[in-house]
Amino acid sequence: MTKAQRQAEILRLVSERKISTQEELLDSLRAGGVETTQATVSRDMRELRLVKASGASGAWYVQSDDGSEDRNGVLLSRSVISCASSGNICCVNCHSGAASVAAAALDANKPVGVVGTLAGDDT
């Protein structure tokens, strides 16, 4: 199997089901007759711009919608439900379990005026 065929199979798998871990993806590939290593799958995922999306049922891999969008932007857009502010405080409500991901993405982008973030399970 060529690299292009393997990557096409990876995209097919993540579009058809919610795959949460690289190990789960590797197992799915092997079940379909694709023999590969975890390191190769990891490189393929990076090249395919797969990121984790999250929702009420957990987190799973998806392909970034826009090739020009950075990983942190994708993580934020898929984690945040709503935002509200009061004075100098902004409260960002996220899907359950996604607040730490959203906070890390905000910290990585270093927005002007933001000193830091605090994250709970969903805020």
Side-chain angles (χ1 to χ4, degrees), residues 5 9 11 15 21 51 57 60 76-77 94 107 121-122:
Q5 291 170 320
E9 181 66 8
L11 290 176
S15 69
T21 65
V51 296
S57 62
W60 59 92
L76 272 173
S77 70
C94 301
D107 287 341
D121 181 54
D122 60 359

Side-chain angles (χ1 to χ4, degrees), residues 51-98:
V51 296
K52 279 222 173 164
S54 62
S57 62
W60 59 92
Y61 287 107
V62 296
Q63 188 173 30
S64 174
D65 295 331
D66 178 7
S68 65
E69 192 169 286
D70 69 274
R71 176 180 165 85
N72 290 323
V74 171
L75 292 172
L76 272 173
S77 70
R78 306 227 174 171
S79 300
V80 175
I81 296 171
S82 64
C83 298
S85 64
S86 177
N88 64 348
I89 296 175
C90 179
C91 181
V92 180
N93 186 259
C94 301
H95 295 287
S96 183

